[in-house]
């Protein structure tokens, strides 16, 4: 091993330090709970100490660069984390300077959606594409754009915030907007949509398998809907089909504007493709420009639960 990289994955629930090679061989990984109630200093201290231990064990002189993946908003150029909603107290944290001062190697910062886009582009389902869109389709709906063979972040790191796009006048409210892309195509949005539809079912004295009583409606999660769909529940399947329809509407806008050759979609789409994809593709067929749709392939993400590891390492490999 001539050299290696360190990836720093910062999340609201968990953090991790990953050591890996240029061909994505994972050499070491240490994860721990973020414990946001203890403030940013607690997690940052653990990250730096863990990274130091890894660097010593693998050879400090062989460390080439460090990549940091973190929820936005952030300033990737200045290396500052700017108050992410899932990281209370992380206000104007100069995270890049903290690691650069400690390790004396290049340090790079990207938001988690962009980092995942880079990982899928370099090592996953988007490998070989020059124009690719990555969509998270997890708890929220975020995106990352690879345009003309490079990551596009926009004027202030807000490119790819597709979840905020309004797709309907009404509908589930997510990302602060009723009927938004995230409202229809995210775990949060699917749960809201399910609660609305189940309430309507109960008003008609109809039953659904994944909710036994009115008192349980507010407890419904997107995972409940997923599990029920695989068990054959027609209401759950319909909810995912509705999500697929609006996914197709959102993708059609992106296809018409950006003309990508590949769209890679993670999490819920990858898990529930059989329920979501047919309605999605039919809507793309109806809505998108035919020549643009013809050259665009829509595929599930490949990196799965390891995407966070590859994402932070991909940020380190910008050269």
């Amino acid at each position: 091993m001539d050299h290696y990289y360190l990836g720093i994955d910062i999340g609201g629930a968990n953090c991790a330090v990953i050591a890996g090679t240029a061909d994505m061989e994972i050499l070491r990984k240490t994860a721990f709970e973020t414990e946001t109630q203890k403030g940013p200093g607690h997690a940052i201290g653990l990250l730096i100490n863990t990274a130091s231990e890894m660097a010593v064990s693998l050879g400090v002189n062989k460390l080439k660069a460090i990549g940091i993946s973190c929820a936005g908003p952030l300033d990737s150029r200045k290396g500052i984390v700017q108050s992410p909603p899932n990281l209370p107290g992380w206000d104007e944290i100069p995270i890049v300077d903290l690691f650069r001062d400690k390790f004396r190697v290049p340090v790079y910062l990207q938001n988690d959606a962009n980092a995942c886009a880079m990982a899928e582009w370099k090592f996953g389902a988007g490998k070989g594409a020059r124009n690719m869109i990555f969509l998270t389709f997890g708890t929220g709906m975020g995106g990352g754009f690879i345009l003309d063979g490079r990551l596009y972040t926009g004027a202030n790191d807000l490119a790819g915030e597709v979840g905020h796009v309004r797709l309907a006048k009404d509908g589930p409210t997510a990302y602060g907007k009723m009927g938004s892309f995230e409202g229809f195509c995210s775990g949060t949005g699917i749960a809201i949509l399910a609660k609305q539809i189940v309430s309507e079912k109960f008003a008609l004295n109809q039953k659904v398998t994944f909710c036994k009583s009115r008192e349980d409606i507010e407890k419904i999660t997107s995972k409940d809907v997923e599990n029920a769909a695989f068990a054959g529940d027609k209401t759950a399947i319909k909810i995912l089909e509705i999500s697929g329809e609006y996914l197709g509407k959102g993708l059609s806008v992106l296809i018409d504007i950006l003309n990508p050759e590949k769209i890679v979609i993670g999490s819920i789409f990858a898990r529930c493709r059989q329920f979501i994809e047919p309605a999605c593709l039919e809507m793309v067929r109806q809505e998108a420009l035919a020549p643009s749709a013809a050259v665009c392939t829509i595929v599930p993400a490949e990196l799965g639960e390891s995407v966070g590891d590859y994402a932070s390492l991909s940020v380190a490999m910008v050269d």
Side-chain angles (χ1 to χ4, degrees), residues 217-232:
I217 290 176
E218 288 305 312
K219 300 177 184 177
I220 294 173
T221 67
S222 61
K223 195 65 178 177
D224 293 332
V225 177
E226 293 177 41
N227 291 338
F230 280 104

Side-chain angles (χ1 to χ4, degrees), residues 66 116 128 175 180 206 243 256 265-266 275-276 309:
I66 296 173
C116 288
Y175 210 144
S180 64
Q206 298 176 359
S243 181
D256 286 353
I265 313 176
F275 306 114
I276 296 173
D309 302 343

